[in-house]
Amino acid sequence: MATTFTGGDLKLVADQAVSNVSDVLLAAKSFSLKAETTGMSKGDSTQVFVAGAAPDAEDFDAEDNNYMTDNGGDHAWKPVTLDTHAKLTFKIPPSTFEKLTPASLSALYKPYVSKVASRVIGDVFAKITQGNFPTALSIAAPSTFNKSNVSKAETELAKLVGIGSERNLVLNIDVFDSLRDSLTGIYATPTNNEVLRNGTIPGLAGFANVIRTSAIQTQTTVGTHLIGIATNMSGIALATSAVRQVPQFDGDVEIATDPVTGIPLTFSVDYSKETRAYVGTVEILYGIAVLDKKGILRLTTTVAGGGS
């Protein structure tokens, strides 16, 4: 029998608990998510289609370059393995659980949901290294990042991957804040000002979206550090899947999907046989693959050492 609370059930709790996880997962919009994972388990692989470069157009020739002549291209299906299973579990004593409503339980779930989502995005950005994506644009003063820097990043990305594809810019929160501060004066309508406040800037300097992420932390140690990326969505594939439960599991399970990115999170309810405590879990199955090394332009800054 389904687990019920005052005014609802686990499905209602799960849907409410993912209502604000888009803020964490928003950066995933800059990556390829078109992967079929229905019914898959940990260790399974799926294929992601990557559209590559095309050759220069040539004159039509009835014999040597007719309609049956394949002019080539770098397009390919590339594998992504669902090799990571991330989860968080918490317990609530019966005396507390029996007083919970869907709203209060979803509020309890939300920080766990955010941490699981942060793990996914953090693992994605861990792949964005000089070795995987060698091309970088150095930003001298991140604290004054403005539209001119955005324009330069778009130009460098266009040189790298060409024009005509969707391009996104993802920035460290502090860098995004500097950009937002520099733009608020030119946005006249309340709608655009609301967009700025919510952490997404659409249609700026050729980018479909400028997005902020907490996955790129501001660094103060000496060295060269990542502060953002520009991408045409061909650099990394992120495949996600709901977690399949074993047939022997007699608790309740529900899937809630982030409405912005389509990323599914699995919620489950069980009970401790020893203490009768409520046991709640949120989890996800995912895999990350590096695709085209030109598909991401790293934005970096250098922190210099102090003099003696």
Side-chain angles (χ1 to χ4, degrees):
M1 184 173 65
T3 303
T4 58
F5 316 94
T6 304
D9 55 19
L10 182 60
K11 178 59 176 174
L12 179 59
V13 169
D15 288 342
Q16 292 179 355
V18 299
S19 61
N20 63 351
V21 76
S22 299
D23 290 344
V24 180
L25 294 174
L26 192 58
K29 288 187 69 175
S30 68
F31 307 121
S32 173
L33 294 173
K34 298 183 184 302
E36 178 59 49
T37 59
T38 303
M40 296 178 64
S41 300
K42 185 177 181 181
D44 291 346
S45 292
T46 187
Q47 298 285 324
V48 176
F49 182 73
V50 181
D56 293 335
E58 298 179 1
D59 291 338
F60 173 82
D61 183 280
E63 293 185 3
D64 298 322
N65 191 28
N66 56 37
Y67 294 111
M68 297 306 292
T69 302
D70 183 358
N71 294 116
D74 297 331
H75 322 300
W77 287 92
K78 298 195 176 182
V80 185
T81 300
L82 296 171
D83 56 4
T84 303
H85 179 184
K87 75 95 184 176
L88 279 174
T89 297
F90 59 89
K91 294 183 180 181
I92 306 173
S95 58
T96 300
F97 172 70
E98 65 187 12
K99 301 173 184 176
L100 293 175
T101 65
S104 58
L105 184 57
S106 66
L108 195 157
Y109 257 112
K110 280 183 178 180
Y112 293 91
V113 171
S114 292
K115 288 293 187 179
V116 170
S118 295
R119 166 70 188 278
V120 176
I121 296 301
D123 284 354
V124 170
F125 277 91
K127 299 286 189 182
I128 303 176
T129 62
Q130 182 177 5
N132 288 334
F133 302 100
T135 307
L137 173 65
S138 179
I139 304 298
S143 61
T144 60
F145 194 90
N146 56 29
K147 186 178 178 181
S148 177
N149 297 117
V150 176
S151 180
K152 181 64 173 176
E154 196 278 336
T155 298
E156 292 303 310
L157 181 64
K159 291 178 182 178
L160 193 62
V161 300
I163 59 176
S165 59
E166 180 178 330
R167 297 180 296 282
N168 293 300
L169 182 65
V170 184
L171 299 173
N172 160 307
I173 286 180
D174 292 324
V175 176
F176 182 94
D177 188 52
S178 296
L179 173 63
R180 180 169 54 186
D181 283 348
S182 74
L183 293 175
T184 51
I186 69 172
Y187 279 79
T189 68
T191 299
N192 281 335
N193 283 329
E194 185 64 28
V195 166
L196 286 172
R197 284 193 291 270
N198 287 341
T200 305
I201 305 172
L204 184 63
F207 285 108
N209 290 287
V210 182
I211 302 164
R212 66 181 175 184
T213 181
S214 59
I216 306 175
Q217 296 291 318
T218 297
Q219 303 293 327
T220 58
T221 57
V222 175
T224 299
H225 306 292
L226 186 73
I227 61 169
I229 65 167
T231 177
N232 71 337
M233 303 175 70
S234 68
I236 283 181
L238 169 63
T240 59
S241 177
V243 178
R244 297 175 65 188
Q245 303 297 324
V246 297
Q248 295 82 2
F249 180 67
D250 57 3
D252 295 323
V253 181
E254 294 289 351
I255 310 300
T257 301
D258 171 44
V260 173
T261 63
I263 292 177
L265 293 165
T266 302
F267 291 74
S268 61
V269 173
D270 202 0
Y271 295 94
S272 167
K273 293 180 175 58
E274 291 79 15
T275 66
R276 300 293 173 89
Y278 169 94
V279 181
T281 294
V282 58
E283 56 191 328
I284 188 171
L285 187 63
Y286 62 98
I288 305 162
V290 175
L291 302 178
D292 183 359
K293 67 179 181 180
K294 293 182 179 180
I296 288 179
L297 170 73
R298 293 178 300 111
L299 275 61
T300 63
T301 192
T302 300
V303 178
S308 56

